[in-house]
Amino acid sequence: MIDALGYTFMQNAVIVSVLASIACGIIGTLVTVNRMSALAGSIAHASFGGLGLAYLAGFNPLIGATCFAVAGAAGIAAVSSKKRSRTDTAMAAMWATGMAAGLVFIKLSGTYSADLMSWLFGSLLAVSSSDIAFAAVLDIVILLVITGLYKEFLAVSFDQEFSMLQGVPTHFIRGLFLILTALTAVLLMKITGLIMVIAMLSIPAAIAGMYTGSLWKMMVLASILAAVFNLAGLSLAWMLDLPPGAVIILIAAFAYAVSLIIERVRSGTT
Amino acid sequence: MKEAIRLHGVTAGYRTGNPIIHNIDLTVQENDFLAVIGPNGGGKTTLLKVILGLLTPWEGTASVFGESPEKNHPAIGYVPQLIPEDSFPITVMDVVLMGRLRNAGLLRRFSRGDRETAEMNLARLNVEDLAGDDMNSLSGGQKQRVLIARALAGKPQILLLDEPVASVDHDTQISFFNLLAELNSTITIVLVTHDVGAVSAHVKNIACINRTLISHGETLSSESVAKAYGCPFELISHGGIPHRVLGNGKEPKT
């Protein structure tokens, strides 16, 4: 494993893994406490439509995915601000429509299917310097937004109506949260693939939630856990010659199962 | 005496063609202590949302101190119904500080003054020792006090409480109403509850609603209760008949 670090692609993989953990831990915590993992899933799948369109029209797939993810997040924000019961339907429709549109565009473009597979299942060993830049910029934006508006994010997540009565711009905060979720989902697609994004946004935060009593501690622990899962998965995948995205998810799922058992035992004995 | 809240011909709901409350006229004077009772689904929470300005009436008008509710949000302290299954990672202090969000403003941290106000209100409700605790580790009665401290931290002139005694035992209810009576010396209080037996002697007025306003006054007749709940009072009361509810309106007023 150590000698693998001599390769540039491996260095890039390690850097992106660590950078993505920060976005993943912070946004994943907000997704988890707001019970919006289905939303994160539908945003990730909607972005597949953007990927297909990018291949067809010949521009950078990352841009296509980002645009579709953000547009999907904005669409859901618009629907959910009016009526909560419709959000569920809108998310399900977006999930499937994104995939369907992506498949049609990709067929029309005649793209080789290996490209497609790398977006669906991750391509951690093929990240570029532009991916690293994307991750770094996103981390900075997320850190600035969360430190500046922490009390508002906490309040809106805990009790939206009360926050509204306190003059907090709740729709603005929700919209910002959805857009940051969309961008994080696109970033994580590079690592685990869009099919497994939902796991990286929920598992580290869910484990962190079992051991912490405040939102910011949960964010910090979730980020650390995500980094551990990413690096452990990357190393193990390298040694066993397996796809890193899948190994990362399996390690995270195993840690989650162990945490659940520990929690069960603890609550049983006390 | 000033009018704190005035609803005039208010009809409101969430789905077109299906109003939850219909043509309600209700005036609450300053320093009143009003209990709004009615069955579940009778529109009590909807009524509160109209007063809070979270729901715009389809017909009629709502005003708080003579102005629209939205303009008077700082004057209103809201204590929502407890959600028992919630497991949000938040400390008691952070919950109470939410009552200082308006004062602190966007992009700023809570000031020392905000924290002192939060601590003072926790102390006022005798839960200052819990400030650093996880909200989830509290009992129903303790959580209720924290939510009241949060509402009071904004220094409101009106306190609106949604089903405040739904999740607390009988003894806690008594001390809870004593506390509200104390607060009532400076604050107008409106609480809604489906539990007729929970209405205490400290309450000054009682309104009974089930889609429409059935009665509003110092006392409540068993006919009103029967009309609102669709069954005789005896069937819905548990633990003895509270003395505020007068059988057939014959007994003297308290």
Side-chain angles (χ1 to χ4, degrees):
Chain A
M1 179 63 204
I2 299 297
D3 43 293
L5 285 172
Y7 300 109
T8 313
F9 71 83
M10 200 57 169
Q11 291 164 4
N12 286 349
V14 169
I15 294 169
V16 159
S17 295
V18 173
L19 288 176
S21 318
I22 298 170
C24 174
I26 295 173
I27 297 300
T29 295
L30 289 173
V31 165
T32 304
V33 297
N34 282 288
R35 289 160 206 225
M36 290 182 117
S37 49
L39 176 128
S42 62
I43 287 174
H45 285 76
S47 66
F48 193 66
L51 285 173
L53 189 62
Y55 279 116
L56 183 61
F59 58 88
N60 186 344
L62 193 60
I63 294 172
T66 307
C67 290
F68 268 59
V70 171
I76 285 180
V79 173
S80 68
S81 70
K82 288 230 165 64
K83 213 165 198 144
R84 226 149 228 267
S85 55
R86 283 197 197 138
T87 314
D88 198 41
T89 316
M91 289 193 305
M94 202 171 81
W95 187 301
T97 312
M99 291 304 282
L103 280 173
V104 168
F105 288 142
I106 282 169
K107 176 69 184 165
L108 290 176
S109 75
T111 310
Y112 179 53
S113 67
D115 273 358
L116 185 63
M117 293 288 278
S118 79
W119 285 101
L120 288 175
F121 301 107
S123 52
L124 189 50
L125 295 176
V127 293
S128 61
S129 52
S130 70
D131 294 329
I132 292 177
F134 181 80
V137 171
L138 182 59
D139 278 348
I140 292 169
V141 170
I142 289 174
L143 285 169
L144 283 176
V145 168
I146 292 298
T147 46
L149 295 168
Y150 178 78
K151 66 184 194 310
E152 282 78 16
F153 270 93
L154 175 65
V156 172
S157 303
F158 180 68
D159 188 341
Q160 186 166 355
E161 280 186 343
F162 192 90
S163 310
M164 208 181 274
L165 295 173
Q166 281 289 322
V168 175
T170 53
H171 292 307
F172 171 74
I173 298 287
R174 285 238 159 230
L176 203 56
F177 164 56
L178 290 177
I179 288 169
L180 291 177
T181 304
L183 296 173
T184 306
V186 172
L187 171 61
L188 291 174
M189 279 165 58
K190 276 281 160 186
I191 297 178
T192 62
L194 73 87
I195 291 176
M196 294 175 279
V197 159
I198 193 168
M200 279 317 277
L201 280 175
S202 49
I203 295 176
I207 298 173
M210 294 179 196
Y211 301 99
T212 49
S214 78
L215 199 65
W216 70 268
K217 285 181 191 158
M218 190 170 159
M219 288 173 172
V220 172
L221 184 56
S223 296
I224 293 170
L225 287 171
V228 170
F229 298 153
N230 284 347
L231 295 176
L234 182 61
S235 314
L236 199 62
W238 174 260
M239 288 187 283
L240 302 176
D241 191 25
L242 289 168
V247 177
I248 290 169
I249 298 298
L250 289 176
I251 290 176
F254 177 72
Y256 184 53
V258 171
S259 298
L260 281 178
I261 292 166
I262 292 173
E263 201 190 36
R264 178 70 53 90
V265 171
R266 272 201 316 194
S267 62
T269 50
T270 50
Chain B
M1 262 222 254
K2 254 202 321 184
E3 260 176 29
I5 300 166
R6 185 184 186 88
L7 301 180
H8 183 69
V10 167
T11 297
Y14 308 94
R15 256 190 313 154
T16 319
N18 184 20
I20 306 292
I21 50 175
H22 183 70
N23 197 23
I24 290 199
D25 286 299
L26 183 69
T27 306
V28 182
Q29 301 292 338
E30 208 173 12
N31 274 94
D32 195 355
F33 188 162
L34 173 71
V36 179
I37 67 154
N40 287 324
K44 300 183 301 299
T45 301
T46 308
L47 186 81
L48 284 189
K49 288 197 172 164
V50 169
I51 299 172
L52 288 164
L54 293 172
L55 191 65
T56 313
W58 297 347
E59 281 168 48
T61 53
S63 62
V64 174
F65 292 121
E67 283 185 294
S68 74
E70 290 85 354
K71 281 189 183 162
N72 268 306
H73 276 166
I76 308 174
Y78 176 46
V79 183
Q81 198 171 347
L82 276 181
I83 307 160
E85 47 84 43
D86 217 30
S87 63
F88 197 95
I90 191 167
T91 62
V92 167
M93 187 62 180
D94 281 339
V95 172
V96 180
L97 278 171
M98 279 181 72
R100 301 300 295 166
L101 280 166
R102 177 183 300 280
N103 186 66
L106 278 180
L107 295 168
R108 301 220 193 98
R109 286 167 176 277
F110 286 114
S111 69
R112 199 189 173 85
D114 290 328
R115 289 181 182 280
E116 279 165 6
T117 307
E119 277 163 17
M120 199 187 77
N121 281 294
L122 279 172
R124 195 172 173 185
L125 286 136
N126 296 317
V127 282
E128 68 270 35
D129 298 341
L130 304 174
D133 288 14
D134 187 344
M135 190 69 177
N136 302 309
S137 64
L138 271 52
S139 70
Q142 287 171 327
K143 278 186 189 167
Q144 198 59 257
R145 280 167 183 264
V146 172
L147 292 185
I148 295 173
R150 175 177 76 162
L152 293 176
K155 300 181 178 166
Q157 293 159 274
I158 302 173
L159 196 59
L160 301 181
L161 304 101
D162 195 354
E163 297 283 358
V165 288
S167 54
V168 299
D169 58 58
H170 185 69
D171 287 347
T172 316
Q173 275 185 28
I174 293 172
S175 71
F176 176 76
F177 273 101
N178 288 337
L179 173 86
L180 288 184
E182 220 176 286
L183 294 172
N184 187 227
S185 61
T186 53
I187 299 175
T188 311
I189 297 179
V190 177
L191 71 84
V192 307
T193 178
H194 70 277
D195 186 358
V196 183
V199 175
S200 108
H202 293 301
V203 169
K204 291 174 183 164
N205 283 294
I206 303 175
C208 183
I209 72 164
N210 187 3
R211 292 173 64 90
T212 58
L213 184 72
I214 290 162
S215 71
H216 178 206
E218 285 181 27
T219 56
L220 182 68
S221 70
S222 50
E223 282 92 346
S224 295
V225 175
K227 200 173 162 198
Y229 288 79
C231 62
F233 174 72
E234 288 69 28
L235 291 179
I236 55 164
S237 74
H238 34 86
I241 298 177
H243 75 281
R244 293 293 301 212
V245 184
L246 303 182
N248 304 318
K250 283 173 194 159
E251 290 160 49
K253 287 179 178 182
T254 46

